[in-house]
Amino acid sequence: MASLLYRLGSLAARRAWTVIVSWVVILGLGVAAFLTLGGTLSNSFDIPGTASGAVTDQLAEKLPDTAGGTGTVVYRTTDGSAFTDEQKAEISALASSAEDLDGVASVVDPFDAQQQQDDQAQQLADGEQQLDAGRTQLDAGQAQLDAGRAQLDAGLDQLTAARAQAESAGVGSAQLAALDAQLAGLNAQLAQLDAQQTTIDEGRDELDANSEQIELGSTLLGLADGIGVVSEDGSTAIVNVSFEDPRLELSEEVKQGTIDHFASSPIDGVDVDFGTDIAQGVPEIFGVGEAIGLAFAAVVLIVMLGSLIGAALPIVTAVVGVGVGVTASLAFSGVVDMASVTPVLGVMLGLAVGIDYSLFIVNRHRKQLLNGVPVRESIGLATGTSGTAVVFAGTTVIVALLALNVTGVPFLGLMGTVGAVCVAVAVLVAITLAPAVLGLVGTRLLNRKARATVGQPHAAGKPVRQMSTIRAIATVLISVVGLLAIAIPAMSMRLGLPDGASEPSDSTSYRAFHAVDDQFGEGANGPLLVTATLDDAVSDDDLLATQVEIAQTIADQDDVVAVAPIAASDDNTLLAFQVLPAEGPNSASTEKLVQDIRALPQLDGGVTLGVAGQAAINIDISEALADVLPLYLVVVVGLSLLIMIVVFRSLLVPIIATGGFVLSLFATYGLIVAVFQFGWGAEIIGLHSTGPILSFLPVILVGILFGLAMDYQLFLASGMREAYVHGSSARDAVAQGFRAGRSVVIAAALIMVSVFGGFIFSESTIIRSIGFGLAFGVLLDAFVVRMLLMPALMHLLGRSAWWLPKWLDRILPNVDMEGAALERDHPGVRTDTITVVPREKHHDTH
């Protein structure tokens, strides 16, 4: 590998303009592809096979009107007063005309909906009054019937007794016939009373039936109390827009068309804002904070390399690499659904590793120039030695990022792939474009003072002293305990996706979120869509009773404010309900409510409940990502361990490297939870709201931080191994390799931290949390694990650190990380020969 890269670097230096023009052409092709083929970025995240996804599919089949995406438009009066009739009319007109927009299925006029709700309540009240009046009339009629029946019964008894007396007295038949006629008349009147009684009974049965329906309706109305679209003070109204396509298939053009429709017709005295479902902003790829971070990186480079030309070279090559990687990736955004955070992640990684990788080669070349090695020879040697480490370091990062595809999460796999592409381009730029530019720059890479010292012995370095065993033990204990202490908050980590409260404080989505929160309650920002699947279809007559039974069951759960039926399938086997939780979509209580509803046993009659809606979808995504984290960690660590075993030809060094990474990873999690979830020091970075940790952040951090951690492990430990294989004792090699690599690793880590840290001040909470996690992850891993813990452990292990079974040593390929083959032919390759002053007589003991 080293020899191949030596020839590649030498060729690039000789054909400098050819290489530079080639990269410019590649960059131009990437930009052209992006401008021609690129599409829009999405703020939607989804994972196939979730419980909410199954419910959404069921709705799409039987209740398609409820399966489409939704949008929230919030109107508020500027002075907090109630809407005037004129303002109501204008809002209603905009809502009505919005139904003609492309992709819009229906629009709810808030004032019409409120009027219908009021009318329904009035109808129920009127119905109850009518029932009471009907019962009063029936009771009066019943009393009259009872009195008439009593009179008739008395008369009938008298006539019956009189006829019996007449018959026993032997009266004539004429008199008996007259009495029989009177009896017949009374019986006929009794028959009429029976008929009237039947009518009254039927009326009472009808009243009872109507009373049951009204009672059921009143119960539903009471359960739905709290769900509304016009605030109690009449100052705020919500226009709900339903789209034809599901949320994940909803195009940005349809969303923007809806926003333009309502925003382009201002209403005097009224403000309009839009919810995150249609107006969540796409974060800018590069802003002021990122520029400041890049400027700080430039300062580090100037201090490290001692010249403006040397400092500019890694930045320029990194920018070219980022341009190629990101534009090439964005060219596919018209074909695949790409999350808006994906290219930003590519920029983060491309800049950070691009600067670092070029720095490693430039720094090696600079040292060789100081030793008197000719320019082109030095370029080839630097590319062959440090370039080998760059290739393997980049390979580790690429493996970790591509492994995101094994999670089975499409948007996460795509993020990893784009990141891997940007890192791969950074590696190619470092081993081709950087040598080409170095060939043009020549000795001007060194400032005048440095050029005057070329070839002088002091450029090789100064003697160093081994650390003591006591110091090594103390360093290990302090480092491990400190990292574990920082990691404690990670035990309370909650995962979620950002809502309107996480948007920039001056954004329309933030204003809409808080307007709904203030006027309609926290849960109105994250209503749940609950479905009831019936084993057997319910009749139309029993539908209302079934809806009440199910709604009451849902309402009985903790943290439910209101429940309202919103739809029933044509065959009455699928019922849908809107459920208003007590708290917002990212609250722990809402998450528990979703789980509680899903955990309910099947209701009487074979009714199974399911939950969908944006809040439930976010909860499902977070749970799924938490489940794949252990698998991903095993895959990444396993593959990278194999790479490091090959590179270092050791078993313990990779284990030390991995164990240290796990410590720094969980310490990073602890810091993220402390700031973004607990709010400790949030004001320092301008964070205006706290909440759950971004659901895919832990997984992303595993992939990126592990790769970057292994970068620094490679550059430090390869120096130690280089010294060891060239005859230094194990503990001498630790001190020698650490001294040789520490300056460049410190500079590289500071550059990483500054680049990632620039994104901490992004307006997007997603970008902010990723930048924070990467910046502090690199900070902890580079300065605590790689610079303190790892050398101390290597010192304590002594020769056993480089132990490898003989059978394994025979089958492993020789990757020549230290450039031994080059050293045999090019003595100038060794620039860091450092004398180690022993601290102990027997420094190779175990």
Side-chain angles (χ1 to χ4, degrees):
M1 174 68 78
S3 298
L4 175 64
L5 291 177
Y6 168 79
R7 292 193 295 272
L8 179 62
S10 300
L11 177 63
R14 290 196 307 273
R15 304 288 181 86
W17 282 112
T18 301
V19 174
I20 292 171
V21 170
S22 298
W23 275 110
V24 172
V25 171
I26 293 172
L27 177 59
L29 291 174
V31 172
F34 163 60
L35 295 176
T36 306
L37 305 174
T40 56
L41 301 177
S42 170
N43 283 307
S44 298
F45 302 97
D46 185 37
I47 295 178
T50 61
S52 54
V55 172
T56 302
D57 293 341
Q58 190 180 25
L59 288 169
E61 179 183 353
K62 293 196 172 184
L63 289 171
D65 291 343
T66 64
T70 59
T72 304
V73 183
V74 181
Y75 281 99
R76 289 179 296 168
T77 57
T78 54
D79 58 2
S81 61
F83 291 107
T84 64
D85 290 339
E86 183 179 355
Q87 289 169 339
K88 289 180 180 179
E90 291 185 62
I91 294 173
S92 296
L94 283 170
S96 177
S97 58
E99 293 190 343
D100 297 329
L101 296 174
D102 291 339
V104 173
S106 63
V107 181
V108 176
D109 177 353
F111 305 109
D112 183 45
Q114 184 66 42
Q115 188 60 51
Q116 291 179 11
Q117 192 173 8
D118 293 342
D119 290 345
Q120 184 182 8
Q122 188 59 50
Q123 289 173 3
L124 288 171
D126 292 343
E128 288 179 352
Q129 290 181 355
Q130 292 172 4
L131 283 174
D132 291 339
R135 286 196 179 94
T136 300
Q137 291 177 357
L138 286 175
D139 290 342
Q142 185 67 57
Q144 291 177 355
L145 277 178
D146 291 343
R149 185 180 297 279
Q151 290 177 356
L152 286 174
D153 287 340
L156 188 60
D157 290 341
Q158 291 176 358
L159 278 176
T160 301
R163 188 184 185 287
Q165 290 176 358
E167 187 176 6
S168 61
V171 300
S173 58
Q175 291 179 332
L176 290 176
L179 290 173
D180 289 339
Q182 292 178 26
L183 286 170
L186 290 177
N187 286 323
Q189 292 180 42
L190 283 173
Q192 290 177 359
L193 289 179
D194 290 339
Q196 293 176 15
Q197 184 64 59
T198 300
T199 301
I200 288 176
D201 291 341
E202 291 175 350
R204 197 176 296 281
D205 290 340
E206 185 176 353
L207 281 179
D208 289 341
N210 291 337
S211 175
E212 182 180 356
Q213 293 297 306
I214 289 176
E215 184 178 352
L216 291 171
S218 298
T219 301
L220 276 184
L221 191 64
L223 292 174
D225 186 25
I227 297 177
V229 286
V230 179
S231 63
E232 291 184 6
D233 62 5
S235 67
T236 308
I238 301 174
V239 177
N240 287 315
V241 182
S242 296
F243 298 103
E244 295 173 353
D245 295 328
R247 179 184 64 92
L248 296 171
E249 300 174 15
L250 195 58
S251 68
E252 293 299 320
E253 289 80 8
V254 171
K255 294 180 183 179
Q256 191 59 48
T258 304
I259 293 174
D260 292 342
H261 173 80
F262 288 98
S264 61
S265 301
I267 301 172
D268 290 338
V270 178
D271 292 329
V272 60
D273 288 302
F274 305 91
T276 53
D277 39 19
I278 55 174
Q280 188 171 13
V282 174
E284 61 181 359
I285 293 181
F286 198 83
V288 176
E290 293 82 347
I292 294 174
L294 199 58
F296 184 81
V299 172
V300 174
L301 287 168
I302 292 173
V303 173
M304 176 71 185
L305 299 175
S307 71
L308 290 176
I309 293 178
L313 195 151
I315 293 177
V316 171
T317 56
V319 169
V320 172
V322 167
V324 172
V326 173
T327 55
S329 300
L330 284 173
F332 291 93
S333 61
V335 181
V336 296
D337 187 20
M338 186 175 291
S340 58
V341 69
T342 303
V344 183
L345 184 64
V347 171
M348 281 189 193
L349 289 173
L351 278 177
V353 303
I355 294 174
D356 275 7
Y357 291 167
S358 293
L359 169 62
F360 294 140
I361 293 175
V362 171
N363 184 60
R364 182 77 179 225
H365 171 56
R366 177 179 175 274
K367 289 182 178 181
Q368 290 169 173
L369 287 180
L370 289 172
N371 278 354
V373 180
V375 173
R376 289 187 177 176
E377 174 73 358
S378 177
I379 293 172
L381 292 174
T383 309
T385 52
S386 292
T388 303
V390 164
V391 170
F392 278 95
T395 301
T396 306
V397 180
I398 291 168
V399 167
L401 289 169
L402 289 178
L404 284 169
N405 288 278
V406 307
T407 63
V409 181
F411 76 84
L412 204 56
L414 185 59
M415 288 173 65
T417 301
V418 170
V421 168
C422 290
V423 172
V425 172
V427 171
L428 292 174
V429 165
I431 61 177
T432 56
L433 182 59
V437 177
L438 287 173
L440 291 180
V441 170
T443 57
R444 287 174 296 172
L445 180 70
L446 305 175
N447 57 32
R448 289 184 180 180
K449 183 178 179 180
R451 286 199 293 270
T453 65
V454 169
Q456 294 183 12
H458 65 76
K462 299 178 182 180
V464 296
R465 184 179 295 272
Q466 286 184 18
M467 72 172 71
S468 67
T469 301
I470 293 177
R471 179 185 170 189
I473 294 173
T475 300
V476 171
L477 291 176
I478 293 172
S479 299
V480 172
V481 171
L483 290 172
L484 289 175
I486 298 173
I488 290 174
M491 299 174 66
S492 302
M493 182 186 288
R494 286 184 55 243
L495 301 180
L497 287 173
D499 53 26
S502 304
E503 291 292 298
S505 57
D506 59 348
S507 67
T508 184
S509 298
Y510 182 86
R511 293 192 298 268
F513 184 92
H514 282 282
V516 172
D517 194 336
D518 294 339
Q519 296 292 333
F520 300 95
E522 296 179 32
N525 275 305
L528 303 177
L529 181 60
V530 177
T531 59
T533 305
L534 283 64
D535 289 345
D536 299 315
V538 64
S539 66
D540 291 338
D541 293 338
D542 295 332
L543 177 60
L544 185 59
T546 302
Q547 288 177 322
V548 169
E549 180 184 355
I550 296 170
Q552 187 63 62
T553 300
I554 298 171
D556 289 340
Q557 304 304 307
D558 293 337
D559 299 308
V560 172
V561 172
V563 184
I566 56 175
S569 62
D570 293 336
D571 59 3
N572 286 349
T573 60
L574 182 64
L575 311 180
F577 300 81
Q578 183 181 2
V579 177
L580 197 67
E583 296 184 295
N586 272 331
S587 67
S589 66
T590 301
E591 180 179 348
K592 184 176 184 301
L593 175 59
V594 170
Q595 295 167 345
D596 288 347
I597 293 175
R598 288 174 173 165
L600 285 173
Q602 197 174 58
L603 308 184
D604 293 340
V607 179
T608 305
L609 299 182
V611 188
Q614 187 60 54
I617 291 172
N618 290 351
I619 290 169
D620 288 344
I621 291 174
S622 301
E623 290 180 349
L625 288 170
D627 291 341
V628 302
L629 180 59
L631 169 65
Y632 177 62
L633 189 58
V634 169
V635 171
V636 168
V637 170
L639 290 176
S640 297
L641 275 174
L642 292 177
I643 293 175
M644 286 190 291
I645 289 173
V646 172
V647 169
F648 295 122
R649 307 189 77 79
S650 163
L651 291 180
L652 292 181
V653 172
I655 292 173
I656 290 173
T658 303
F661 161 73
V662 172
L663 281 174
S664 65
L665 175 69
F666 281 97
T668 303
Y669 287 169
L671 282 175
I672 293 172
V673 171
V675 175
F676 287 84
Q677 187 172 315
F678 296 165
W680 299 349
E683 64 280 355
I684 298 176
I685 62 172
L687 186 66
H688 59 78
S689 66
T690 58
I693 304 305
L694 183 66
S695 57
F696 55 84
L697 181 58
V699 180
I700 284 288
L701 289 183
V702 169
I704 298 175
L705 289 180
F706 190 84
L708 299 181
M710 295 309 105
D711 281 4
Y712 301 133
Q713 178 71 21
L714 281 167
F715 285 105
L716 281 175
S718 62
M720 296 174 186
R721 176 167 175 79
E722 181 179 4
Y724 182 71
V725 298
H726 284 97
S728 298
S729 66
R731 288 179 173 174
D732 284 350
V734 171
Q736 189 173 348
F738 181 78
R739 172 65 181 269
R742 68 179 180 183
S743 60
V744 70
V745 169
I746 289 173
L750 288 175
I751 290 169
M752 284 266 189
V753 171
S754 61
V755 172
F756 292 144
F759 289 88
I760 294 176
F761 301 95
S762 169
E763 289 189 340
S764 168
T765 299
I766 293 179
I767 304 303
R768 187 191 292 260
S769 60
I770 294 176
F772 182 92
L774 291 176
F776 280 90
V778 169
L779 190 68
L780 290 174
D781 194 88
F783 290 99
V784 179
V785 174
R786 307 304 150 195
M787 305 289 286
L788 294 176
L789 180 60
M790 192 271 293
L793 286 173
M794 293 285 289
H795 176 87
L796 293 175
L797 287 173
R799 286 178 300 180
S800 60
W802 304 107
W803 175 79
L804 186 71
K806 291 183 179 179
W807 64 269
L808 186 57
D809 184 53
R810 287 193 297 269
I811 64 176
L812 287 179
N814 183 11
V815 297
D816 192 17
M817 272 288 295
E818 300 79 28
L822 286 178
E823 184 184 344
R824 286 192 294 269
D825 299 326
H826 308 276
V829 71
R830 298 203 68 189
T831 63
D832 294 312
T833 302
I834 298 170
T835 304
V836 181
V837 179
R839 185 177 292 272
E840 301 174 5
K841 177 178 285 188
H842 303 290
H843 48 259
D844 266 349
T845 60
H846 298 281

